[in-house]
Amino acid sequence: MPCARPGTGLYAQKADLSGDATAATINHSLTLLQRLQELLQNGNGSDSVLRVRSAASDEAKVFHTHQLLLSLQSEVFESLLHNQSVITLHEPPETAALFEKFIRYLYCGGVSILLHQAIPMHQLASKYRVWGLQRGVADYMKSHLASESSQGHVVAWYHYAVRIGDAALQESCLQFLAWNLSAVLGSAEWGSVSVELLLLLLERSDLVLHSELELYTAVEGWLSRRQPEGPVAKRVLRAIRYPMIAPSQLFRLQAQSPVLARHYGAVQDLLFQAFQFHAASPLHFAKYFDVNCSMFLPRNYLAPSWGSQWVINNPARDDRSTSFQTQLGPSSHDAGKRVTWNVLFSPRWLPVSLRPVYSDSVSGSVQPVRIEDGRPRLVITPAMSSPDFAGVSFQKTVLVGVRQQGRVVVKHAYSFHQSSDEAADFLAHADLQKRTSEYLIDNSLHLHIIIKPVYHSLIKVKK
């Protein structure tokens, strides 16, 4: 039977299966918790002593504890206290500072922590094998990636997740960093990004940021601060997608970037190829070079030439539509060409399987359809066709902004198949009828639609 709601002396009547209304649950769980806290605080009936020493202090912290309660929660304490009643524990300063909170959790089953306390509390839970607390702290970290902190915390949590082998937390941190990279680039934690994490981010095409130039500028700052060895700097600089940067900006970088001047030989071929890409017709360029690689694939750029924001008020109300224009392609040859896009949003589109059909049982009757049977739908189509589209396909990405801990962040991203005008799973789990839906900000749906032109190789010319 599930636990009843905690109480201090009240009881709740509950009918049993026989219909007897005299059964009741008497609940004094809060009183029990209070007495357990008093046991720890006063040391009443203590049969074991923990002495916690740290290099940060000459004095040990002493806790008068109860072997039964510690052993119930931790197999490590059960083993340590098997043949002795006084044990000395050596802890780093960070975990020693939280040891009282940790012990209180063992008595009461609850603890409050702050962002900077997450890693040391997780370390304590892991060291003493308190699995419930370990899972709880990991869940706390996953749900507080968007919280504001003066020095940032997601990068540190990612590095910690790698160190302990927590793949789920690692992936949550990596995805958050990728989808909210612009905010990270301008924060204090950018300088703490490891070489491994930086290279992982640079190889991704789903990075959300204003432009590739913004990414280069941040990478230049990282290289200037960290001063890595030549091979590392080469790998980092060669992961920048130079064809996605306009020629005028590339010329400026060549003339003004100290990092590029220092490592010019490592990327000279990529810069030359980028200038060729911008100078020639994409169709002509694709005959000689393989454009089906990441170097020529745009990331999720937020600049206006790549897409548009769309805030839909009361999205559960009715169908909406909008239109916007994007640049035909990243090549300077296509910089002046525009593609107009029409977008249709429907909050309650019904799949074919749920649409009304005539029933055979009653002539002319129609099966009832509930509003909640429908699902949100977003359709993005070009308003025109053009010979300029030859050799170009368009990948579409829709970002959904949500509010977490007071900040607007990207939490959901939907990618369209190149041959499709919509994403099959768009807002599949969203309940737009509820004002409290995590997908809504002040009862509005915040979308950012990104169009990613992709060039394709056509006829190869023998060199």
Side-chain angles (χ1 to χ4, degrees):
M1 186 176 69
C3 294
R5 184 182 300 275
T8 57
L10 301 177
Y11 65 88
Q13 289 190 348
K14 181 179 179 181
D16 60 18
L17 295 178
S18 64
D20 186 354
T22 61
T25 298
I26 300 174
N27 188 346
H28 296 111
S29 56
L30 282 182
T31 302
L32 176 60
L33 285 176
Q34 290 170 0
R35 289 179 178 175
L36 288 175
Q37 290 185 65
E38 291 172 1
L39 274 182
L40 176 62
Q41 183 176 351
N42 301 326
N44 297 337
S46 169
D47 58 4
S48 55
V49 176
L50 306 182
R51 297 173 58 84
V52 181
R53 302 195 68 89
S54 169
S57 175
D58 295 331
E59 296 184 4
K61 291 184 178 180
V62 179
F63 299 91
H64 295 275
T65 57
H66 302 79
Q67 182 176 342
L68 174 62
L69 292 175
L70 267 57
S71 298
L72 283 173
Q73 294 273 35
S74 165
E75 61 189 74
V76 173
F77 279 128
E78 181 180 18
S79 176
L80 290 173
L81 295 169
H82 182 61
N83 290 318
Q84 54 185 332
S85 59
V86 179
I87 58 175
T88 299
L89 306 172
H90 296 274
E91 293 291 335
E94 297 80 10
T95 53
L98 294 180
F99 209 86
E100 184 176 351
K101 277 178 174 282
F102 173 63
I103 293 296
R104 191 180 301 124
Y105 171 87
L106 300 184
Y107 276 72
C108 307
V111 65
S112 60
I113 59 174
L114 302 174
L115 294 174
H116 71 278
Q117 298 172 331
I119 289 178
M121 186 60 75
H122 193 278
Q123 289 173 324
L124 285 171
S126 302
K127 179 178 179 178
Y128 296 99
R129 300 182 185 178
V130 184
W131 306 126
L133 179 59
Q134 185 192 61
R135 289 191 298 271
V137 176
D139 290 341
Y140 165 86
M141 295 165 84
K142 292 174 192 174
S143 63
H144 284 75
L145 295 172
S147 297
E148 287 197 60
S149 56
S150 58
Q151 297 299 316
H153 56 279
V154 182
V155 171
W157 287 359
Y158 171 83
H159 291 148
Y160 177 70
V162 172
R163 192 160 65 249
I164 64 173
D166 188 330
L169 177 58
Q170 180 180 336
E171 180 55 34
S172 294
C173 293
L174 188 59
Q175 181 175 280
F176 179 87
L177 292 171
W179 289 355
N180 298 275
L181 190 58
S182 279
V184 179
L185 297 181
S187 70
E189 63 181 330
W190 175 245
S192 65
V193 168
S194 65
V195 172
E196 294 75 18
L197 175 54
L198 179 60
L199 290 172
L200 274 177
L201 289 170
L202 291 177
E203 71 181 17
R204 295 177 67 124
S205 296
D206 64 339
L207 297 185
V208 176
L209 67 167
H210 188 266
S211 66
E212 193 74 17
L213 180 62
E214 179 189 29
L215 182 59
Y216 175 85
T217 302
V219 165
E220 181 181 48
W222 185 91
L223 290 170
S224 298
R225 175 179 297 183
R226 299 292 290 270
Q227 294 292 318
E229 296 181 355
V232 172
K234 178 179 178 179
R235 288 183 64 191
V236 169
L237 286 171
R238 290 188 69 84
I240 298 294
R241 301 182 181 182
Y242 297 100
M244 300 299 111
I245 302 176
S248 59
Q249 296 169 336
L250 287 174
F251 278 124
R252 183 178 59 81
L253 292 178
Q254 282 185 303
Q256 300 178 4
S257 170
V259 169
L260 198 58
R262 189 180 314 122
H263 301 283
Y264 185 75
V267 295
Q268 184 177 7
D269 60 320
L270 298 181
L271 292 172
F272 181 63
Q273 189 179 58
F275 283 120
Q276 289 178 302
F277 171 77
H278 286 293
S281 158
L283 288 177
H284 187 71
F285 182 86
K287 293 177 182 180
Y288 295 90
F289 298 97
D290 180 16
V291 294
N292 299 318
C293 63
S294 61
M295 188 61 62
F296 300 99
L297 180 65
R299 307 185 201 264
N300 290 328
Y301 302 127
L302 300 176
S305 57
W306 299 92
S308 176
Q309 286 184 319
W310 191 18
V311 177
I312 304 175
N313 298 320
N314 285 322
R317 191 181 63 196
D318 49 30
D319 293 356
R320 315 291 175 85
S321 63
T322 189
S323 62
F324 60 92
Q325 289 189 329
T326 61
Q327 187 172 305
L328 174 61
S331 168
S332 291
H333 188 273
D334 290 331
K337 301 173 183 176
R338 293 288 181 268
V339 180
T340 300
W341 298 92
N342 292 330
V343 187
L344 171 66
F345 170 78
S346 176
R348 293 180 296 273
W349 174 78
L350 289 172
V352 173
S353 60
L354 294 177
R355 291 175 186 172
V357 295
Y358 286 97
S359 171
D360 294 333
S361 58
V362 181
S363 178
S365 67
V366 179
Q367 295 176 353
V369 177
R370 299 171 302 173
I371 289 178
E372 57 268 26
D373 288 332
R375 67 168 179 81
R377 184 188 190 193
L378 191 75
V379 182
I380 306 172
T381 54
M384 57 187 180
S385 59
S386 168
D388 290 329
F389 290 7
V392 184
S393 64
F394 300 97
Q395 291 184 356
K396 302 137 192 171
T397 298
V398 179
L399 308 175
V400 181
V402 303
R403 179 175 288 144
Q404 290 187 334
Q405 285 83 49
R407 296 175 61 193
V408 176
V409 299
V410 176
K411 187 177 180 182
H412 308 281
Y414 299 91
S415 297
F416 291 48
H417 189 275
Q418 287 190 17
S419 61
S420 176
D421 293 330
E422 62 180 304
D425 61 342
F426 179 69
L427 296 180
H429 304 291
D431 187 354
L432 302 181
Q433 305 288 334
K434 293 184 178 179
R435 289 180 174 268
T436 57
S437 170
E438 68 165 63
Y439 293 81
L440 302 179
I441 301 176
D442 298 329
N443 202 34
S444 297
L445 187 62
H446 286 242
L447 307 179
H448 196 114
I449 303 169
I450 299 171
I451 307 296
K452 302 165 71 169
V454 181
Y455 294 118
H456 297 282
S457 299
L458 298 178
I459 301 173
K460 290 284 187 180
V461 175
K462 293 183 179 180
K463 298 181 182 179

